Amino acid sequence: NADATKVHRHTTDLAMAPGSGEKLVETTLGAARDELVRGLGGLLGQPTPVTTADAGTVPDGAVVVGTPTSSPLIGRTIAARDLAKVGDEGFLVRSVSRGRARFTVIAGNSDLGALYGTFAFLRLLQTQKPIDHLRVAESPKIKHRLLNNWETERLYAGNNASGIGGLNGESGAIFNFAATGASAGRNLPVILDRYLVMARALASLGINGITINNVNADNAYLTSARIAQEAALADALRPYGIRLGLSIRYTAPTDSRFAPDTLTNSQLDPYGADFRGWWHRRAQQIQAAIPDFMGLTVKANSEGQPGPQDFGYDHGDGANAIAAAVAPLGMTVHWRTFVYNAEVDNDRLKRAYLEFGPIDDEVQPDGSRGRFADNVFLQTKNGPLDFQAREPIHPMFGRMENTNQALELQITQEYTGQNWMLAYLGPMYEEILKTDTYATDANGKLLKKRLVGNIVDGTAQHHPDTAIVGVANLGNADNLTGHHFGQANLFAFGRQAWDWTLDSTDIATDWTRMTWSNDRRVVDTIRAMMMGSWESLVSYQTPLGIGHQFAEGVHYRPDPADWAGRDDWSPIYYNKADSVGLGFDRSPTGSNLAAQYFPRLQQRYGNIKSVPENLLMWFHHVPWGHRMDSGRTFWDELVYRYQMGVQYVTWMRETWETLQPDIDARRFTEVRAKLAVHEADAADWRDTSVNYWKEFSGRDIPVDDAPLS
Ligand code: GCW
């Protein structure tokens, strides 16, 4: 699509820091070269000369980047079998000596591998690691490392959304498609600096795809006019190895905007040629404009979105129909499993496994098991409720033996403080990925390597394809994520998507060094703030495993009392507060969600004596006087947790002050202002919650804890 690239104008984007100097690059190796020139120039404080691959002798101290195809030098310095081991997107970084010259080689099997290696090398420099005896070999554990960008929902990073002033009348979303109002002329196909800043950031983490629109999908994204805009974006992101995908609505074929190619409801039979033909034609049209288009994400029969069940079919029928339509084009379908129905189940968390489990297990005419097609991913969010600060793993992980399963994590902080609270979610992603499912075989024998990460990366069940998805926290805010520390969550997601076995503390250290300072005191202080921040949030919002206690709509403030209207979202559905105690009984005496887990977790969660205390109220209605590990009563412990959570935020606010001499004034002040709001809002969670629970417990606030404000 080279012609399209040429027509794109490139304007200065006001959202970016002055002088960010973004430019469109044409090739992936061009991107790698530019990163090195910019990165080395900045880090070493001097210009970096560039020579081409066929330059005869390598200068001492040079950095050579490429593939065996792009550079004969790579072939001469790196053994083919070493390179073969890192696969399509992996890389090697090596220190090499030739005669008197010592230089660094960054090699990939593909240009993208070389770009990833370049970023890894720059990260070593930026974090001040030794680079004189390098022998790095890396490859991603998961094949598709994706973002879902809900451009219209749960957006806390837009200049409008964050309440810090609109930018040229734009919506706050990162991508600007609108040609109306003040933003006209800045809309796609015009490529804004911030798209390139984003692309560079995502490529530096190895993220290789982005589904650009909300799962509550607007059919506009499938219209010809929009596809032309999407193609321009795809062209700009392509050198960075980032492919585009779209969320779609199951009934899009009936939208009159697609006339004359419009279907009627009666033509939506998933086994009919009309339905499949429509999706095939639309996908072909997209592919003609975007040759490397990834595929479609579908939220069906979920929260009012249409789906196959509206026409008498199940999720397998619907997913396979669209999958069959796009399979000849090499595209995938991500079918979300976020389904619930409190009118049918005594516990809405049970629905997903009940609907998807049997399809995964179904015996097929050829005797094999599992009905979902090979190019379908079931995309399952963690946790089973809805991205709460702490949830147990989704019981479907490890249970889908015959279906590709993608893990969906939330980076945007919908329930975790939005753009106000400093909550580093690396440890949460790590907890989920490293939780053992204790999956067993048909004889009840424990299987090896069945952590959630093993399931997602395919080593456990040998699924043909693997994917992990983060709901993005991108917007048009100057810093792209709204809160400066929101960037850490994007960084952590990307690093863990690349290698889920990484330690979230190490990730925090790297991010701090790359973002704030390499000064030891600053690194130690910021890392300490980050590492306790998620547990603190859990403590003052929803301690000891209590689910969703948010006020209606906004998902920021607490309101444990009943909402008018929706029963299955009302906090009382989850807290079950009464004079006996607090929490949702999901043990065998209650809804028995516990039974959806493999036996060992079933027993652990199902028994109040063995359930981890941080999930206590997720699985049990806990009597106020229940004795906790600390020796306190449940009531006393509960109050203590709320108080500890808030105290941690106070400590973060005070600690941040000590960094003033080391941090630039603008970012220092912006974070300071957020921490002040954070502290007040954390105290609000504690006070609102504890005062409400007190009405049920009838117990006093324990005296040895600091008084409520
Ligand atoms: O909990 C809900 C969110 C919705 C979201 C939905 C989902 C995009 O509040 O904003 O819809 O989850 O994941 O589909």
Side-chain angles (χ1 to χ4, degrees):
N1 225 21
D3 286 350
T5 307
K6 279 184 210 120
V7 302
H8 298 156
R9 280 179 302 133
H10 174 234
T11 65
T12 300
D13 184 353
L14 300 181
M16 299 318 310
S20 72
E22 297 311 317
K23 62 176 189 176
L24 283 169
V25 293
E26 304 267 330
T27 64
T28 301
L29 285 180
R33 178 202 53 222
D34 285 4
E35 291 304 329
L36 278 175
V37 169
R38 183 191 318 220
L40 292 175
L43 289 164
L44 306 175
Q46 51 187 335
T48 311
V50 180
T51 53
T52 52
D54 35 4
T57 50
V58 185
D60 193 44
V63 180
V64 179
V65 191
T67 67
T69 322
S70 76
S71 159
L73 247 173
I74 302 282
R76 289 208 297 274
T77 46
I78 304 275
R81 63 171 186 285
D82 289 358
L83 203 49
K85 280 185 208 147
V86 298
D88 281 355
E89 295 187 347
F91 55 81
L92 299 173
V93 186
R94 294 253 178 102
S95 306
V96 175
S97 303
R98 273 288 148 102
R100 252 172 282 157
R102 291 175 56 80
F103 53 95
T104 305
V105 176
I106 304 174
N109 290 303
S110 65
D111 293 354
L112 187 57
L115 177 64
Y116 289 158
T118 301
F119 279 117
F121 175 68
L122 288 169
R123 185 161 56 237
L124 293 174
L125 278 178
Q126 251 187 308
T127 54
Q128 298 187 343
K129 306 255 167 50
I131 52 153
D132 42 358
H133 291 95
L134 290 174
R135 230 189 137 74
V136 178
E138 279 199 38
S139 46
K141 291 201 160 33
I142 299 171
K143 193 163 167 212
H144 305 283
R145 304 169 299 279
L146 312 175
L147 295 184
N148 277 184
N149 181 52
W150 297 354
E151 88 293 19
T152 51
E153 215 165 330
R154 313 306 177 196
L155 169 67
Y156 311 107
N159 272 342
N160 291 342
S162 58
I164 49 175
L167 175 78
N168 282 346
E170 285 184 29
S171 68
I174 182 149
F175 305 126
N176 181 13
F177 284 95
T180 54
S183 69
R186 291 171 48 79
N187 59 299
L188 282 158
V190 173
I191 300 300
L192 300 177
D193 285 357
R194 66 176 186 248
Y195 307 161
L196 303 175
V197 171
M198 177 207 77
R200 296 175 50 224
L202 300 190
S204 80
L205 298 168
I207 289 172
N208 58 8
I210 179 166
T211 294
I212 59 174
N213 61 321
N214 192 359
V215 289
N216 295 323
D218 180 346
N219 293 333
Y221 284 90
L222 295 172
T223 58
S224 304
R226 203 48 89 81
I227 290 171
Q229 291 185 297
E230 289 152 12
L233 183 60
D235 288 344
L237 304 190
R238 186 168 298 113
Y240 297 94
I242 301 164
R243 298 165 66 193
L244 245 56
L246 286 174
S247 297
I248 57 106
R249 211 175 142 85
Y250 188 77
T251 53
T254 61
D255 192 317
S256 59
R257 275 177 284 191
F258 302 119
D261 192 13
T262 308
L263 305 186
T264 60
N265 269 341
S266 62
Q267 291 173 291
L268 295 185
D269 182 332
Y271 290 96
D274 293 338
F275 185 72
R276 293 180 179 213
W278 192 93
W279 283 109
H280 184 73
R281 285 192 298 283
R282 205 41 50 174
Q284 265 180 324
Q285 193 192 334
I286 298 172
Q287 197 171 57
I290 308 173
D292 53 356
F293 183 79
M294 289 191 294
L296 308 171
T297 296
V298 195
K299 173 174 175 179
N301 294 121
S302 161
E303 302 193 316
Q305 294 297 316
Q309 292 175 345
D310 305 337
F311 306 92
Y313 291 96
D314 69 14
H315 287 285
D317 302 321
N320 283 355
I322 300 181
V326 303
L329 305 170
M331 297 178 189
T332 55
V333 169
H334 281 246
W335 193 268
R336 294 179 84 238
T337 67
F338 184 53
V339 297
Y340 55 89
N341 188 346
E343 281 168 23
V344 179
D345 302 311
N346 58 358
D347 180 355
R348 53 166 269 198
L349 274 51
K350 290 158 93 170
R351 185 74 344 228
Y353 180 57
L354 293 175
E355 287 190 11
F356 292 95
I359 305 174
D360 171 75
D361 207 32
E362 193 182 275
V363 180
Q364 300 307 297
D366 67 358
S368 67
R369 273 184 190 273
R371 191 180 354 129
F372 286 105
D374 275 358
N375 63 328
V376 171
F377 281 95
L378 290 185
Q379 183 167 315
T380 298
K381 68 164 77 169
N382 213 88
L385 200 176
D386 189 15
F387 297 135
Q388 301 302 297
R390 173 174 272 114
E391 299 193 30
I393 57 165
H394 200 296
M396 275 170 65
F397 286 105
R399 290 262 183 210
M400 303 288 113
E401 284 291 341
N402 309 302
T403 313
N404 297 318
Q405 198 170 13
L407 168 64
E408 180 183 299
L409 298 168
Q410 206 177 37
I411 311 169
T412 195
Q413 292 173 249
E414 173 179 359
Y415 291 102
T416 48
Q418 301 185 355
N419 61 13
W420 297 109
M421 292 175 177
L422 191 169
Y424 171 53
L425 301 179
M428 180 178 85
Y429 305 148
E430 183 174 6
E431 178 174 292
I432 295 165
L433 285 159
K434 294 185 183 169
T435 295
D436 200 333
T437 62
Y438 293 106
T440 44
D441 66 14
N443 305 318
K445 201 170 147 271
L446 273 181
L447 292 160
K448 291 206 177 76
K449 287 202 173 172
R450 291 285 169 139
L451 308 190
V452 171
N454 298 127
I455 286 148
V456 178
D457 78 7
T459 51
Q461 295 157 311
H462 311 294
H463 290 154
D465 214 351
T466 57
I468 183 165
V469 181
V471 178
N473 60 348
L474 299 165
N476 74 359
D478 292 14
N479 58 24
L480 294 188
T481 57
H483 194 307
H484 288 293
F485 279 81
Q487 295 179 356
N489 294 333
L490 183 58
F491 184 83
F493 171 81
R495 299 289 295 134
Q496 286 164 303
W498 178 269
D499 181 356
W500 60 269
T501 68
L502 293 177
D503 180 314
S504 58
T505 310
D506 295 341
I507 295 173
T509 307
D510 280 355
W511 178 79
T512 303
R513 286 176 172 276
M514 295 167 74
T515 307
W516 300 100
S517 169
N518 270 302
D519 176 88
R520 190 157 167 193
R521 189 183 73 93
V522 177
V523 174
D524 289 349
T525 306
I526 292 183
R527 180 187 42 222
M529 288 172 64
M530 289 167 73
M531 288 314 294
S533 60
W534 166 58
E535 285 291 0
S536 139
L537 176 100
V538 172
S539 289
Y540 64 73
Q541 280 194 341
T542 46
L544 300 172
I546 191 152
H548 168 63
Q549 295 299 310
F550 289 83
E552 199 158 2
V554 180
H555 297 180
Y556 182 74
R557 287 179 194 287
D559 184 7
D562 195 9
W563 298 355
R566 304 274 307 264
D567 288 350
D568 55 344
W569 278 109
S570 180
I572 62 164
Y573 182 92
Y574 301 97
N575 65 48
K576 307 268 191 263
D578 61 21
S579 59
V580 177
L582 196 62
F584 196 129
D585 184 0
R586 296 187 167 101
S587 77
T589 58
S591 79
N592 208 11
L593 174 76
Q596 287 190 352
Y597 293 91
F598 286 99
R600 190 170 295 186
L601 286 185
Q602 207 174 105
Q603 283 148 20
R604 184 174 293 172
Y605 293 158
N607 187 334
I608 197 167
K609 295 208 184 81
S610 54
V611 68
E613 285 192 342
N614 61 21
L615 293 174
L616 184 61
M617 285 188 278
W618 201 275
F619 289 101
H620 300 277
H621 190 66
V622 188
W624 298 112
H626 175 80
R627 198 52 68 186
M628 302 291 288
D629 290 348
S630 62
R632 299 185 185 95
T633 63
F634 168 61
W635 166 251
D636 285 4
E637 180 73 24
L638 188 63
V639 178
Y640 172 80
R641 295 285 175 121
Y642 281 105
Q643 177 59 13
M644 287 298 287
V646 179
Q647 271 177 227
Y648 192 89
V649 183
T650 303
W651 173 80
M652 284 202 291
R653 180 184 51 71
E654 290 169 358
T655 302
W656 183 254
E657 292 299 318
T658 68
L659 297 177
Q660 184 158 18
D662 305 287
I663 306 277
D664 55 284
R666 175 178 169 185
R667 290 191 301 167
F668 176 80
T669 322
E670 286 171 354
V671 172
R672 171 199 262 168
K674 299 256 180 185
L675 283 168
V677 175
H678 184 165
E679 186 182 24
D681 293 344
D684 177 37
W685 268 93
R686 175 197 59 199
D687 298 351
T688 306
S689 309
V690 171
N691 287 327
Y692 182 75
W693 308 140
K694 193 168 177 292
E695 289 173 34
F696 295 89
S697 77
R699 297 181 181 227
D700 292 330
I701 309 287
V703 283
D704 56 348
D705 287 318
L708 299 183
S709 60

